[in-house]
Amino acid sequence: MARPFKCPYCGGTRTIWKGFRPLQQGKVRLRKCKDCGRKFKTRKMVI
Ligand SMILES: [Zn+2]
């Protein structure tokens, strides 16, 4: 569970958990990057 996730914008690994966002196809994980401050979504464990 403690797998570092890279920010797709700046490549930083200091991302923080922002919770779930339910969609029709399943759950999407919201994360925020501490380095660049941008938010992004991840689906499951695959990019
Ligand atoms: Zn970033």
Side-chain angles (χ1 to χ4, degrees), residues 7 9-12 33 35-37:
C7 171
Y9 299 108
C10 70
C33 177
D35 288 330
C36 65

Side-chain angles (χ1 to χ4, degrees), residues 6-15 32-38 40:
K6 277 194 177 182
C7 171
Y9 299 108
C10 70
T13 54
R14 295 189 302 159
T15 57
K32 184 179 181 184
C33 177
K34 277 190 173 182
D35 288 330
C36 65
R38 301 181 90 161
F40 55 95

Side-chain angles (χ1 to χ4, degrees), residues 24-36:
Q24 301 94 329
Q25 301 160 351
K27 288 178 185 173
V28 169
R29 299 179 180 201
L30 298 175
R31 286 185 172 269
K32 184 179 181 184
C33 177
K34 277 190 173 182
D35 288 330
C36 65

